[in-house]
Every structure is written in structure tokens, then in C-alpha cells.
Amino acid sequence: MLLQRPYNSFEIAQAQFDRVAALIGLDEATRELLRWPLREHSFAIPVRMDSGAVQVFRGFRVQHNDARGPSKGGIRFHPQETLDTVRALAMWMTWKCAVVDIPLGGGKGGVVCDPHNLSAREQEQICRGWVRQMSRNVGPVSDIPAPDVMTNAQHMLWMLDEFEAIQGGRYPGFITGKPVGMGGSLGRTEATGYGVVFALREALRELGLPASATRASVQGFGNVAQYAIRLYQQLGAKVICVSCWDQNDQAAYAFKRPAGVDMDALLLITDRFGGIDKEKARGLGYEVLPGDAWIEQPVEVLIPSALENQITTESVTRIAPSVRIVAEGANGPTTTDGDEALEKRGIHVIPDFLANAGGVTCSYFELVQSNTNYYWEKDEVLGKLDVKMTSAYLAVSELARKRGLSMRDAAYVIAINRVAQACRDRGWT
Ligand code: NAD
């Protein structure tokens, strides 16, 4: 995964930025401002462990840029967390919020710890300790955290409770990813997968492909994949292959059914981590293939929704000639070389920070609902999500066409220009 890569994510994020900054002729001062975070917090969280001994954990919060609005981004718990990983992710959040035009900036946080080896009480103490260290620098009008790798709604509620105890009031807009009924938003569970398909629907329309005449193959069968498949099927399309990680075998498998996967039946044999029981799948008539077989299926659409670095110069050669669109549900599923190879093949890519921005868009809706203490119906949330995703997709594809850019470069140009403009308007640069 991201954290075990031999290379440095922040250097990659800066290189991506530098390339597009040169492309749009961004002035030196704005470049210098945007290639680094505005603020970085690095701190200690002492916790009295269940054993009675005190252990000190390292915590981070990076606020990359908040010219367009309060910083927004998750808090990760990971044993290999580094400041550079958090910096890169904070920067990517700035571009993601800007490309869908929500009034938020980019942030990310983390704690170096492994929740697998921590009791619930110890995790609660880490959450409360993180907030105690950061309470002056985060909040509904400055920086709004959310769940991320190995953190969930419970962690968010402990953090909210600590923040409210310190501030002496109720501030549900301090954090998102809360459970529905405790300040969470309806539709958040569906938001990322549905957002991928709202964008995909527009791409199909542009390419003149009726959804009902298309098939997709999906890597992953977790939150993003499941809701993307559901909505894509509702458009009349077929998903013929999905894949997942098998915890027992420590291997990935692909599950193929040319007539189309049956979501209701598959979900009955899927665990909460998005792992499908392969014996039961065989029983349901699925062909069980090696994990990487998802990429070579005879489909029109590929939806990588699991891991980064899956579409590479090597794996591109296995993509079928029928494939017209890659909709990136996952973060970073395509390497830089893989991207060039896709472009050469003329495959239309919906880049990750546009395709999967439905998640943060719905978190923004949660923030708005929490701040006004008025909660919307699910249809209203999903309708607003559709409007945001559709207009973001159309703006990117129009720019790509006009300027002869790839979809990824066009998305970066829009995002960086918006943030740069906000910095200029504020008189920062
Ligand atoms: P998840 O944990 O719910 O599901 C991950 C899925 O990937 C599981 O089905 C797992 O079995 C599968 N998987 C793991 N290794 C695999 C392998 N080698 N081959 C095939 N499948 C494999 O995660 P998710 O929330 O669906 O997130 C998926 C991706 O989308 C990640 O890159 C995440 O960063 C990104 N993303 C998620 C959200 C969100 O709101 N959930 C938002 C933006 C981006």
C-alpha cells in the first residue's frame, strides 16, 4: 500500500504539481506557496496504556492550503505513518476539493500507531490526546477532520466529544464521518461509489455509448466498488467481473459471470472487509480467476476501486481492445507510465481526484447540515451530489477538449487555477 512504497509520496505530489504549474505558467511565488503546506503540526500524544505504563505516540496535522475554505481531510492511524505521506495526502485533498468546487481546502492528519494492537480504551485516549494537542488549530471554521485508514465513526465521536468538552458547547461541524443520528449525513455510505458512476454516466454520454450496451470489470468489492456497481447496474449496464483480497489465502481473486454479477447474492457471501467467499461464489456459478484477471476482461469500462499502482505499462498491455473508459474509484490506481500508455491507446480516463470526489463532497454536505443543525433527506443529498459531480466532470472534459489535454491534466489545471486564484484574491501572492 501507499505507506510501504519505496518512493516518497510527497515528492510525487510535488512533481505532479510542478508539471501542471509549468503548463499553466504559474508565477514563482504561487508555485512556492502551493508546493508546500501552509501549516504543519507535529506533536506527542502521551497515553497511559492498559498495562499502567505511559507510551508516547506521534501525531500530525498538515494544512496544505485553506485559501478556498477550511481545511478538510481524514486522520489515519498507521504504524508506518510519516509526515511526508500526510503532506502528500493533504495536498491531494486541496486539489480534490477544488476540482469539485466545494469551499474547502486540503488537510490530512495521522497518528503513528497500529490499532490492531491497541484496546478500545487506548484508542480512545489517542483520539482525545490528538484533539487536546490540536484543539486551538482545528474546528468547524478552520479545519475539519474525518475518518481515513483504520479510523471510523467511533473514533470521530470520541474526538468530537473531547473537542466539545474543551470548547464548552456542541460543535458537530468540527468533524465528519459521524454516524447518522449523531450528526452524520444520509447518503455518505453511497457517495463515493455513486459519484464515480455520475461521472461515468457523463463520459458514456460523451462517447455515445448507451450504458445498457456496456459492460464493466471492477477491481475491489468494498465500499466504493459495491455502490458504483449498484448504480451502474441501475443504468442498465452489466458488471461481468469483480475482484477482492482473500484474507485466508493472502491472495486476490477475480469472480467472473458473463451474464452479470448479482449484487444481492454476492453481498450475502461477502464479509465486512469486502472479501467474497470463493467456495460459495463457485457454488453460485462464478468462475474464480487469479486476482489480476479483472484487468483483461472483454468490457467497455474498467473501474479500479481497490489499490494504487494497478494500471502500469505492463498491465496496460493486457487491457482488452474493447475498453473505452477507465473510471478511477481508488486513489492512485494508475502509475505515471501507465497513464501515458492509456493515453496512447486512446482510453478515456476519469482521474481519481475527480472520479472519487463524491466522498468529500458528501462530507461537505455533512458539515453544512451539522453547522445548521438541519438534516436533509437522502434523495436531497444524492441529488445535490449528482449536480456537483456532473458539473465537475463536464468542466474537466470541456477543458480537456478545448486545450487538447488529458482528463487528468485538465482536472489539475482547473484545481490549481482555482486555488491559485483564491491565493491571489486574498492578496497572499
Ligand atoms: P474498502 O476497504 O471498503 O474495500 C477495499 C476492497 O479492495 C475490498 O473488497 C478488498 O478485498 C479489495 N482488495 C484489496 N486488495 C486487493 C487486491 N490485491 N486485488 C483486488 N481487490 C483487492 O475500501 P474502499 O473504501 O472501497 O476504498 C477503495 C479505494 O477507494 C481506496 O483507494 C480508497 O483510498 C479510495 N477512496 C475511498 C473513498 C471512500 O469514501 N470510501 C473515498 C475516496 C477514495
Side-chain angles (χ1 to χ4, degrees):
M1 301 278 291
L2 195 69
L3 292 165
Q4 285 139 25
R5 284 180 193 165
Y7 49 84
N8 180 308
S9 306
F10 185 47
E11 284 167 12
I12 294 170
Q14 285 186 319
Q16 291 170 345
F17 168 75
D18 290 342
R19 211 173 77 78
V20 179
L23 192 72
I24 60 177
L26 198 63
D27 65 275
E28 257 324 302
T30 311
R31 273 191 217 197
E32 190 51 29
L33 186 71
L34 294 180
R35 70 194 306 280
W36 287 94
L38 274 182
R39 281 171 233 102
E40 299 181 349
H41 304 271
S42 171
F43 46 90
I45 307 173
V47 170
R48 187 162 302 279
M49 306 298 281
D50 294 348
S51 65
V54 171
Q55 192 174 329
V56 180
F57 294 90
R58 285 307 310 167
F60 304 113
R61 185 70 180 174
V62 172
Q63 293 156 346
H64 171 259
N65 191 281
D66 57 8
R68 289 175 40 84
S71 307
K72 183 94 193 77
I75 298 175
R76 304 149 56 93
F77 282 4
H78 199 286
Q80 272 109 41
E81 193 67 284
T82 67
L83 183 55
D84 270 352
T85 313
V86 180
R87 285 170 164 165
L89 292 162
M91 194 191 234
W92 285 323
M93 283 304 294
T94 303
W95 313 140
K96 194 180 287 197
C97 292
V99 80
V100 283
D101 206 8
I102 52 178
L104 295 170
K108 207 76 173 191
V111 178
V112 184
C113 70
D114 188 350
H116 293 110
N117 308 325
L118 296 165
S119 69
R121 194 199 64 83
E122 290 164 344
Q123 292 182 50
E124 177 178 349
Q125 292 312 307
I126 292 177
C127 289
R128 291 183 185 279
W130 193 98
V131 172
R132 281 198 296 275
Q133 292 290 28
M134 282 301 300
S135 65
R136 284 180 299 278
N137 307 99
V138 291
V141 295
S142 55
D143 182 1
I144 302 118
D148 207 292
V149 173
M150 287 201 262
T151 54
N152 57 35
Q154 175 63 74
H155 297 103
M156 299 305 107
L157 277 184
W158 285 326
M159 289 185 164
L160 176 65
D161 187 66
E162 189 68 24
F163 185 80
E164 292 181 335
I166 293 168
Q167 304 293 336
R170 289 284 174 256
Y171 296 93
F174 156 62
I175 210 159
T176 62
K178 306 179 293 293
V180 172
M182 283 296 284
S185 176
L186 292 168
R188 176 62 186 91
T189 315
E190 296 89 341
T192 308
Y194 277 21
V196 171
V197 175
F198 291 143
L200 172 58
R201 180 194 62 203
E202 297 309 310
L204 289 168
R205 199 174 285 161
E206 284 180 338
L207 297 182
L209 292 169
S212 57
T214 62
R215 298 155 296 176
S217 178
V218 181
Q219 188 186 36
F221 199 62
N223 172 264
V224 177
Q226 288 175 17
Y227 287 99
I229 295 170
R230 279 268 191 221
L231 192 61
Y232 180 65
Q233 288 181 333
Q234 279 173 30
L235 300 181
K238 235 185 237 172
V239 173
I240 66 163
C241 186
V242 299
S243 66
C244 69
W245 181 252
D246 187 305
Q247 193 59 27
N248 292 331
D249 296 4
Q250 289 292 298
Y253 295 105
F255 299 82
K256 183 172 180 179
R257 188 166 183 259
V261 302
D262 174 346
M263 282 300 281
D264 291 332
L266 264 190
L267 286 174
L268 288 175
I269 59 167
T270 301
D271 65 26
R272 66 196 166 93
F273 304 107
I276 300 168
D277 183 318
K278 66 177 184 307
E279 293 317 321
K280 289 185 180 155
R282 272 198 192 99
L284 291 174
Y286 287 81
E287 188 183 351
V288 180
L289 300 164
D292 56 0
W294 72 279
I295 205 167
E296 58 198 25
Q297 298 307 313
V299 292
E300 288 67 40
V301 178
L302 291 176
I303 312 180
S305 304
L307 305 171
E308 58 277 2
N309 299 334
Q310 298 303 294
I311 302 181
T312 61
T313 28
E314 185 278 318
S315 66
V316 165
T317 60
R318 292 162 47 219
I319 293 179
S322 55
V323 170
R324 305 284 306 279
I325 299 174
V326 172
E328 296 181 340
N331 285 319
T334 307
T335 62
T336 313
D337 297 354
D339 212 20
E340 285 164 13
L342 285 177
E343 214 179 328
K344 273 196 199 123
R345 293 261 309 255
I347 295 174
H348 185 81
V349 175
I350 311 175
D352 51 3
F353 70 101
L354 169 64
N356 68 33
V360 74
T361 303
C362 196
S363 297
Y364 162 61
F365 295 155
E366 176 177 339
L367 170 70
V368 172
Q369 294 169 81
S370 288
N371 285 342
T372 54
N373 207 6
Y374 174 73
Y375 291 86
W376 313 337
E377 298 303 324
K378 192 175 190 171
D379 282 355
E380 190 176 350
V381 176
L382 295 176
K384 285 181 178 359
L385 180 67
D386 192 348
V387 170
K388 275 276 169 212
M389 290 302 299
T390 302
S391 47
Y393 175 86
L394 293 176
V396 171
S397 89
E398 192 189 331
L399 184 72
R401 237 188 342 269
K402 267 195 192 149
R403 299 261 311 261
L405 297 173
S406 70
M407 286 288 285
R408 196 180 313 276
D409 282 351
Y412 262 115
V413 167
I414 289 179
I416 293 174
N417 269 331
R418 281 187 179 146
V419 178
Q421 187 63 44
C423 294
R424 279 193 290 271
D425 289 350
R426 284 177 180 276
W428 291 359
T429 54

